[in-house]
C-alpha cells in the first residue's frame, strides 16, 4: 500500500525545504482544512436537514444568500478566528473587514469566499470554498486595517480551494507547486491524492456562460465563433463545459486543460467575479500549475486592489488557451 500523507504532514515536509519557515503556514492551512471539514459535514447533509432555501437576506453584492452560505461563513470565521493566527479577515459575505478574537497575536490576513456557487446547492451540484492568505503589513496586529487585506495577489503567501463534489478535494499552494488532497470520511483526514499538479499547455474545453452572449463585446463574440470552428490542426472545435460553479469549472480545467472566461458584460462591465476572494487565489494556483490568469489585459496577480469586493473579468486556465482568448479581447485577432 502506498504511504498515506495527510495535508498537515505534507505541509510540514514542504517546510523542510525552507529553513527560514516558522511553521506558521502549517498551522494556518491546518485551520483552513479543519474549517473545510465542518463545512463539508453540512454540505453533504444539505438535502437532509432543514437548512436549504433562502435565508431571506441579500449579501453585500445584492445577491440572494442561502442558509448554507451563512453557515459556512460563520463556521470559517469561528473555527479559524479563534486561533489567534489571523489579525484580520475579509469574506465575500461580509461588507466590511472582520476582526477575529485574539487578533493581537496574528500576523496574517485571510480573505475567503465561504461557499462559492451556492445557487447549485439545491440541485446537488459541486460548490466550493476559496481562500487567500497574506502577511499583514502593519507591525502591530491590533492596528491591522483594510490596507492589510488590499494587497496585490502577487503578495499571497498561500491560497487554495476546497471543492465539495463527488469527493471533497482541497487544493493549495504556498508558492511551491500545487497539491491536492482528497477527504477520506472514514478517518476524517485530507490525504495527498494529486501531488505537484501541472495544467496542460492547452486543453479541449472552454467554459463561459454563453447565455450572456447578447451582453458580450465583439471580441468575446468573435472568440466564441473561433473556438467553435472546425480546425483539426488547432484541436477545434473545443467542447463547452460550464457548471456555473467557479471552483468546479476551474478544478476540471486545471486537471484536464482548457480555459475559463468570465468577460466584461453589459450587466457586469467589470466582470462578475471578485478579485480578492475568487480571482487572486485561483490565479496564484493556476500560475503555480503552469497556467495563466489575466483580466484580458493584465496579469490578475498584478492588479492593485482598491476595494474588498472589487470585481474583475477573468481569463484563466491553460497558457496557450488563455492567450488566444485574450487576443480576441484585445482586438489583436
Ligand atoms: P457566487 O459567489 O454568488 O456564488 O457567484 C459566483 C459564481 C461562480 O461560482 C460562477 O463562476 C459564476 O458565479 C457564474 O455566474 P453566471 O451565472 O453569471 O454564469
Ligand atoms: Mg463567490
Amino acid at each position: 500500500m502506498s504511504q498515506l500523507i495527510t495535508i498537515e504532514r505534507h505541509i510540514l515536509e514542504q517546510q523542510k525545504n525552507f529553513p527560514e519557515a516558522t511553521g506558521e503556514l502549517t498551522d494556518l492551512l491546518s485551520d483552513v482544512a479543519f474549517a473545510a471539514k465542518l463545512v463539508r459535514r453540512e454540505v453533504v447533509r444539505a438535502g437532509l436537514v432543514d437548512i436549504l432555501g433562502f435565508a431571506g437576506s441579500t449579501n453585500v453584492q445584492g445577491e440572494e444568500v442561502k442558509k448554507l452560505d451563512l453557515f459556512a461563513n460563520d463556521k470559517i470565521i469561528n473555527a479559524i478566528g479563534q486561533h489567534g493566527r489571523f489579525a484580520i479577515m475579509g469574506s465575500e459575505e461580509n461588507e466590511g473587514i472582520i476582526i477575529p478574537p485574539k487578533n493581537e497575536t496574528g500576523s496574517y490576513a485571510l480573505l475567503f469566499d465561504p461557499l462559492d456557487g451556492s445557487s447549485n446547492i439545491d440541485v446537488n451540484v459541486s460548490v466550493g470554498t476559496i481562500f487567500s492568505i497574506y502577511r499583514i503589513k502593519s507591525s502591530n496586529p491590533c492596528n491591522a486595517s483594510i490596507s492589510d487585506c488590499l494587497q496585490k495577489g502577487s503578495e499571497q503567501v498561500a491560497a487554495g480551494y476546497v471543492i465539495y463534489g463527488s469527493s471533497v478535494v482541497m487544493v493549495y499552494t504556498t508558492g511551491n507547486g500545487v497539491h491536492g488532497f482528497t477527504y477520506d470520511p472514514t478517518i476524517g483526514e485530507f490525504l495527498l491524492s494529486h501531488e505537484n499538479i501541472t495544467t496542460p499547455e492547452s486543453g479541449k474545453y472552454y467554459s463561459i456562460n454563453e447565455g450572456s452572449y447578447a451582453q458580450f463585446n465583439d471580441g468575446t463574440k468573435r472568440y466564441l465563433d473561433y473556438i467553435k470552428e472546425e480546425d483539426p490542426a488547432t484541436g477545434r472545435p473545443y467542447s463547452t463545459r460550464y457548471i456555473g460553479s467557479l471552483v468546479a469549472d476551474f478544478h476540471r480545467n486545471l486537471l484536464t486543460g482548457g480555459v475559463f472566461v468570465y468577460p466584461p458584460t453589459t450587466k457586469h462591465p467589470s466582470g462578475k467575479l471578485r478579485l480578492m476572494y475568487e480571482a487572486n487565489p485561483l490565479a496564484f494556483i493556476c500560475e503555480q500549475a503552469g497556467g495563466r490568469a489575466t483580466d484580458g489585459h493584465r496579469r490578475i496577480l498584478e492588479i492593485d486592489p482598491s476595494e474588498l469586493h472589487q470585481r474583475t473579468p477573468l481569463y484563466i486556465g491553460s497558457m496557450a488557451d488563455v492567450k488566444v482568448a485574450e487576443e480576441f479581447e484585445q482586438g489583436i485577432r
Side-chain angles (χ1 to χ4, degrees):
M1 193 173 94
S2 60
Q3 206 190 350
L4 299 182
I5 302 175
T6 63
I7 194 163
E8 289 83 4
R9 167 131 212 104
H10 189 262
I11 303 163
L12 276 170
E13 291 291 328
Q14 289 250 314
Q15 284 197 341
K16 289 186 183 155
N17 301 326
F18 299 95
E20 71 283 5
T22 59
E24 280 178 308
L25 272 183
T26 315
D27 294 333
L28 298 176
L29 290 162
S30 300
D31 283 355
V32 175
F34 176 66
K37 289 177 195 175
L38 298 178
V39 176
R40 182 210 77 95
R41 193 174 63 184
E42 294 309 309
V43 168
V44 299
R45 293 167 62 231
L48 297 171
V49 291
D50 186 26
I51 199 170
L52 280 182
F54 300 102
S57 61
T58 53
N59 72 10
V60 291
Q61 321 288 344
E63 298 155 332
E64 289 161 335
V65 172
K66 305 228 165 170
K67 282 184 181 171
L68 216 46
D69 305 40
L70 294 176
F71 173 89
N73 196 40
D74 291 350
K75 281 290 169 208
I76 292 171
I77 294 169
N78 292 334
I80 296 180
Q82 300 291 345
H83 294 167
R85 292 188 255 270
F86 288 100
I88 193 162
M89 297 160 96
S91 162
E92 193 186 294
E93 297 293 345
N94 290 63
E95 187 160 4
I97 50 160
I98 304 157
I99 301 293
K102 300 193 201 153
N103 85 315
E104 64 280 359
T105 53
S107 320
Y108 294 91
L110 175 72
L111 294 166
F112 65 99
D113 184 350
L115 213 53
D116 183 69
S118 51
S119 64
N120 284 308
I121 294 168
D122 285 357
V123 290
N124 215 358
V125 171
S126 302
V127 289
T129 297
I130 315 174
F131 65 92
S132 174
I133 298 173
Y134 297 83
R135 186 176 279 283
I136 58 166
K137 304 269 186 208
S138 310
S139 51
N140 179 352
C142 295
N143 296 336
S145 68
I146 192 165
S147 61
D148 290 298
C149 295
L150 295 179
Q151 302 190 44
K152 287 184 185 175
S154 54
E155 299 294 312
Q156 290 172 100
V157 295
Y161 60 84
V162 183
I163 176 168
Y164 311 97
S166 48
S167 58
V168 177
V169 174
M170 178 163 166
V171 173
Y172 84 89
T173 185
T174 53
N176 189 28
V178 178
H179 312 288
F181 301 78
T182 303
Y183 185 72
D184 182 341
T186 63
I187 55 171
E189 297 282 2
F190 282 101
L191 300 175
L192 182 62
S193 52
H194 301 73
E195 192 164 27
N196 274 319
I197 297 171
T198 54
T199 197
E201 168 73 16
S202 65
K204 56 184 180 186
Y205 297 136
Y206 73 101
S207 307
I208 182 168
N209 187 347
E210 275 197 81
S212 303
Y213 188 86
Q215 299 178 25
F216 294 157
N217 64 27
D218 283 350
T220 307
K221 288 179 178 168
R222 282 187 294 101
Y223 172 65
L224 290 173
D225 294 341
Y226 166 88
I227 207 78
K228 287 184 276 201
E229 279 168 8
E230 289 278 348
D231 181 33
T234 52
R236 289 179 290 148
Y238 276 32
S239 287
T240 314
R241 290 287 185 281
Y242 193 74
I243 296 170
S245 185
L246 178 61
V247 174
D249 281 313
F250 175 79
H251 184 67
R252 180 199 53 245
N253 289 0
L254 180 74
L255 297 181
T256 63
V259 55
F260 174 96
V261 176
Y262 207 112
T265 64
T266 47
K267 186 173 171 196
H268 296 296
S270 305
K272 177 189 176 193
L273 300 171
R274 289 74 168 177
L275 177 65
M276 305 310 292
Y277 311 114
E278 293 163 334
N280 269 335
L282 298 186
F284 188 18
I285 290 168
C286 191
E287 287 196 2
Q288 280 290 312
R292 182 174 172 90
T294 73
D295 69 354
H297 302 268
R298 296 172 290 176
R299 198 174 154 227
I300 291 288
L301 297 183
E302 281 169 12
I303 298 174
D304 206 354
S306 54
E307 291 170 46
L308 269 182
H309 295 281
Q310 184 166 334
R311 296 176 191 261
T312 178
L314 182 61
Y315 297 70
I316 191 165
S318 294
M319 182 68 78
D321 293 336
V322 172
K323 281 185 178 162
V324 170
E326 275 167 17
E327 285 172 10
F328 280 95
E329 171 63 17
Q330 293 168 9
I332 299 170
R333 288 187 187 234

